[in-house]
Amino acid sequence: MPMTGVEHEVRDHVSYLTLNRPETLNALTPALRDRLVDLLAEASADPSVRAVLLTGTGRGFCAGADLRSGADSPSPRIPGDVARTLRTGAQRLIAAVLDCEKPVIAAVNGTAAGLGAHLALACDLVLAAESARFIEVFVRRGLVPDAGGAYLLPRLTGLQRAKELMFFGDALSAPEAERLGLVNRVLAEGELTKTARDWATRLATGPTRALALTKHLLNSSLDSDRPAAFAAEAWTQEINLTTQDAGEGLRAFAERRGPEFLGR
C-alpha cells in the first residue's frame, strides 16, 4: 500500500482515486489529504484525464479526519492555529473537488462521516452502495462542522434538514440520503463499482471543456444573482464555442451522426 494511503491510476481517460486505509475506514491523514489535493489538481491540468472516480476500500468510504493520529487536534496551541489548519487542510481538499475542471464521481462504498461525508457531497455525482451511511459526526465530538459542510449541506437538502442532520448527528442510510437529494443512485453492493465505472467512462467520452464550464455555472449559481448568472452563462457560451468539441458537436448534428468528442 502506498505510504499516503491512496491508490491512483489513469485508465481510458479516467483518473481512479481509491482510498486504501481500510483498517481506519479510510480516515484521512494530512499526507493522504494533501495527496488527494495534488491528484485532483493534476487531473484538472492533464488533458488526457477527462473524468475522476473517487472511492474507498473495505467497509468505509471515508471516516473523516484521522483524529487518532493527533495531527489535526481540535485544541489550538496558539490562537489562529486551528483556523489556519482548516484553511490549508480540509477546506483546501473540498475546494479541490469543487474546482476540479473534470467531473468527479464519488462511489460511496460504506460509511462517509464528517470530512468524509463532505468529501462525497462535494463531488459532482454521488453513487452509494445500499450499506453506505452518511454521518454529520461533529456534534458527537462536541465540534463545529468543518470541511465546508455548513456550505454544502443546506444547498443540497435545504436549511431545516441540514440543521436536523448537523444538530443530532444521526446516521443517514443510503436510501434516506437519496430521498433528500444527497445521492444520485443507490445500488446493490455488487453493482456500485460497475455503475461508477460506466458513468466515469461515459463522462470521459463527453465534451470535457463544456462539462467543466457547466460545472462552474451550476456550482456558482446559488451564490449569484440573476444578472451575474446570466452574464456567466453568456461568457461560458462564448468560451465554449471556441473549442474543438463544440465544432464537432455542431457538425455531427448537421451530418446526422454521433459526435466524437476529444476533450479539447
Side-chain angles (χ1 to χ4, degrees):
M1 183 179 70
M3 290 298 291
T4 56
V6 59
E7 296 178 353
H8 172 236
E9 70 168 320
V10 176
R11 186 172 70 253
D12 298 327
H13 302 293
V14 178
S15 178
Y16 290 92
L17 309 180
T18 304
L19 304 178
N20 193 4
R21 299 185 70 222
E23 72 282 1
T24 66
L25 297 182
N26 299 315
L28 298 181
T29 63
L32 172 50
R33 179 194 63 210
D34 292 346
R35 179 61 175 150
L36 286 175
V37 171
D38 290 342
L39 289 170
L40 288 162
E42 290 174 13
S44 278
D46 187 349
S48 70
V49 173
R50 298 170 65 184
V52 178
L53 175 56
L54 175 63
T55 192
T57 56
R59 297 181 297 108
F61 172 75
C62 177
D66 189 354
L67 298 180
R68 288 185 175 86
S69 70
D72 286 332
S73 171
S75 299
R77 294 179 180 175
I78 60 173
D81 274 357
V82 169
R84 188 180 310 106
T85 297
L86 285 174
R87 285 196 302 271
T88 61
Q91 290 178 355
R92 191 164 66 101
L93 173 58
I94 299 305
V97 178
L98 293 171
D99 296 338
C100 183
E101 295 177 29
K102 312 299 167 59
V104 183
I105 299 173
V108 183
N109 54 296
T111 298
L115 167 58
H118 301 165
L119 178 60
L121 299 181
C123 293
D124 302 302
L125 299 168
V126 183
L127 300 173
E130 291 175 340
S131 62
R133 299 186 307 158
F134 298 81
I135 311 173
E136 290 294 329
V137 73
F138 302 95
V139 70
R140 300 185 185 183
R141 312 285 184 258
L143 302 175
V144 173
D146 64 21
Y151 173 85
L152 293 167
L153 202 59
R155 286 164 169 75
L156 294 168
T157 68
L159 187 59
Q160 297 305 110
R161 289 291 191 183
K163 288 178 180 178
E164 179 183 344
L165 294 171
M166 288 185 163
F167 286 3
F168 291 113
D170 294 333
L172 192 67
S173 70
E176 290 174 315
E178 184 181 32
R179 179 175 58 83
L180 291 179
L182 298 177
V183 168
N184 293 89
R185 300 281 191 280
V186 175
L187 301 158
E189 308 298 321
E191 292 297 315
L192 177 65
T193 298
K194 180 183 182 302
T195 301
R197 289 177 177 172
D198 287 347
W199 280 31
T201 299
R202 184 175 176 185
L203 289 170
T205 60
T208 307
R209 302 315 305 165
L211 290 174
L213 292 167
T214 301
K215 175 174 178 173
H216 171 74
L217 284 177
L218 290 170
N219 282 353
S220 62
S221 65
L222 295 178
D223 299 319
S224 62
D225 57 21
R226 182 178 60 81
F230 278 23
E233 178 185 282
W235 280 110
T236 55
Q237 291 283 358
E238 181 80 22
I239 293 166
N240 188 62
L241 283 176
T242 68
T243 66
Q244 294 180 32
D245 282 347
E248 165 63 9
L250 293 172
R251 284 192 301 273
F253 176 76
E255 296 168 7
R256 298 185 179 182
R257 60 174 175 82
E260 296 183 8
F261 296 123
L262 300 176
R264 298 177 182 273

